[in-house]
Amino acid sequence: MKDITIVICSYNYERFLREAIDSALAQEPDRTVVVVIDDGSTDGSRAIIESYGDRIVPVIKENGGQASAYNLGLEMADTPYLLYLDSDDVLYEGAVAQVLRAFESGNYAKVQFRLSVIDGEGVRTGARVPNSTPPAGCGELLRRGWLYPSPPASGNAYRVSALRQILPVPKAKGRGIAADFFAIYGIALLGDVMAIEEELGGYRVHRKESGAAPATNREVGLSIANCQDISEVVHAFPHRWAALRQLVSERLGEELPERAIDFSYEKAHLCMRVYDATLWKRWQWILCDSRQYFRSIVANPFWTVGKKVSAIALTLVCLVPSRRISDQAVLYIANPLARGAQGARS
């Protein structure tokens, strides 16, 4: 029996798929099973998957969305640990070896590691996610509503026995329900989370090239997520939290707070209200609607005092009369990737 299953979930990402598979196959081959789930792709993904023969476990299925791929990957896992790798991301050399050593050092429900933010060509941008390290006791903080700092999907490995208490993901209700959201945060209620400081993989930021409307400069500048603008973050997050609360109540018998506290969500509100806004609208936001935003900074259990002071100071720059300076401050708050681009335009 091997130790960890890497489940690559893919849909129409033939441009990146081979790089993802190769990075997974390079990880401790004697201890790793690589499962590639194609979720009904209509591009050349299937031919790429078939070219690997028995080096991987291929699964070709009808399109059912991320939740169906996550559920099937967990169902297939016959190892103590599991890592979901998005097909546009990569693992760096030695990533799984470090993850397995971390699991073996304690009874952890999840081991997470930082991801380098890379561009469409795989070049490191200099940014990384997450920027903060979660403290011990993530579960207790989550029970108070605080979402702990976590990398995107590809930076998380799970103890399968714990993950099966959270998944399978229920059929999505409402908008923007992401399967990885359930796994990343629900797992913290079932055991300790171990955070590796090193960047062990690449999180690729790009825009879909086919069938998608061109992204505006505002969308590219303000959002680090792929093909998702700030307004979608704001609208989707409450649905995700409500769905997680329901799942935790039904499966674990626990009640999470009605409202979550998350700086990423609050800064999305800031962007919608302040970016490219008149001076009056910017002051109106800070005087009337900024309470939750500043609470997510001042009471943040994951940030140092220095980081809190810096965030507040940078936010106050948004109130200067110059819209150009205000917008630059918003870009620095919202998305580290925008900083280089902003400097290049100046």
Side-chain angles (χ1 to χ4, degrees):
M1 179 176 172
K2 296 193 176 183
D3 296 306
I4 188 168
T5 300
I6 300 176
V7 177
I8 300 176
C9 303
S10 182
Y11 176 69
N12 284 348
Y13 270 165
E14 64 174 322
R15 177 185 172 192
F16 308 117
L17 180 58
R18 189 174 296 278
E19 189 177 355
I21 295 175
D22 289 345
S23 76
L25 288 173
Q27 305 291 325
E28 301 292 312
D30 292 337
R31 305 183 68 182
T32 305
V33 178
V34 178
V35 175
V36 182
I37 300 177
D38 183 84
D39 191 36
S41 294
T42 56
D43 60 4
S45 297
R46 183 168 183 171
I48 292 173
I49 293 170
E50 291 173 347
S51 72
Y52 283 89
D54 61 4
R55 297 174 63 197
I56 63 173
V57 179
V59 179
I60 309 296
K61 61 185 283 296
E62 294 183 358
N63 181 255
Q66 186 194 49
S68 68
Y70 262 54
N71 292 344
L72 181 56
L74 180 60
E75 182 180 332
M76 296 180 63
D78 190 26
T79 56
Y81 312 111
L82 181 150
L83 187 154
Y84 291 107
L85 177 65
D86 287 346
S87 57
D88 53 344
D89 295 341
V90 294
L91 295 173
Y92 295 155
E93 182 179 356
V96 163
Q98 290 202 48
V99 166
L100 290 175
R101 283 198 296 270
F103 271 122
E104 292 162 358
S105 70
N107 188 30
Y108 297 108
K110 189 187 91 163
V111 171
Q112 67 178 51
F113 49 88
R114 284 196 166 106
L115 297 173
S116 307
V117 179
I118 60 178
D119 64 17
E121 304 306 317
V123 178
R124 298 194 193 197
T125 64
R128 64 181 187 174
V129 285
N131 289 309
S132 302
T133 301
C138 292
E140 290 307 310
L141 290 168
L142 187 67
R143 290 179 177 94
R144 288 158 44 194
W146 285 97
L147 270 65
Y148 67 91
S150 173
S154 300
N156 301 276
Y158 305 93
R159 184 178 296 275
V160 169
S161 59
L163 191 59
R164 284 183 171 145
Q165 297 181 59
I166 293 293
L167 303 187
V169 179
K171 184 177 180 180
K173 297 180 180 179
R175 63 189 297 176
I177 304 300
D180 53 343
F181 187 86
F182 289 97
I184 287 171
Y185 295 108
I187 200 74
L189 300 173
L190 295 167
D192 291 336
V193 174
M194 168 68 172
I196 298 175
E197 298 291 331
E198 188 176 345
E199 297 167 25
L200 299 182
Y203 171 64
R204 197 184 307 267
V205 173
H206 61 95
R207 296 276 160 175
K208 287 184 179 179
E209 299 177 350
S210 59
T216 65
N217 288 335
R218 175 187 173 96
E219 290 171 340
V220 173
L222 293 177
S223 180
I224 196 173
N226 291 326
C227 307
Q228 184 180 54
D229 62 25
I230 288 295
S231 62
E232 182 61 22
V233 173
V234 170
H235 293 136
F237 181 81
H239 294 279
R240 294 178 181 179
W241 179 252
L244 179 64
R245 289 184 69 236
Q246 181 178 350
L247 182 146
V248 167
S249 176
E250 293 174 353
R251 298 190 181 169
L252 303 182
E254 295 194 43
E255 297 299 324
L256 295 177
E258 186 173 347
R259 182 168 183 170
I261 313 168
D262 179 48
F263 178 71
S264 294
Y265 174 55
E266 297 301 334
K267 76 179 182 183
H269 272 288
L270 166 74
C271 293
M272 287 187 66
R273 296 293 302 278
V274 174
Y275 188 76
D276 197 29
T278 64
L279 181 61
W280 160 244
K281 288 185 177 180
R282 285 181 265 146
W283 275 94
Q284 185 180 45
W285 170 81
I286 200 165
L287 293 173
C288 303
D289 302 311
S290 63
R291 180 181 177 185
Q292 285 299 119
Y293 172 83
F294 283 109
R295 181 189 178 197
S296 72
I297 296 175
V298 174
N300 197 309
F302 313 113
W303 288 11
T304 64
V305 172
K307 186 171 182 178
K308 294 177 182 181
V309 171
S310 297
I312 292 172
L314 195 56
T315 302
L316 294 179
V317 174
C318 299
L319 302 178
V320 302
S322 169
R323 186 179 296 184
R324 176 180 172 275
I325 294 175
S326 172
D327 286 351
Q328 187 170 0
V330 175
L331 288 171
Y332 266 70
I333 293 169
N335 181 1
L337 291 184
R339 299 172 188 175
Q342 180 72 9
R345 290 194 298 268
S346 299

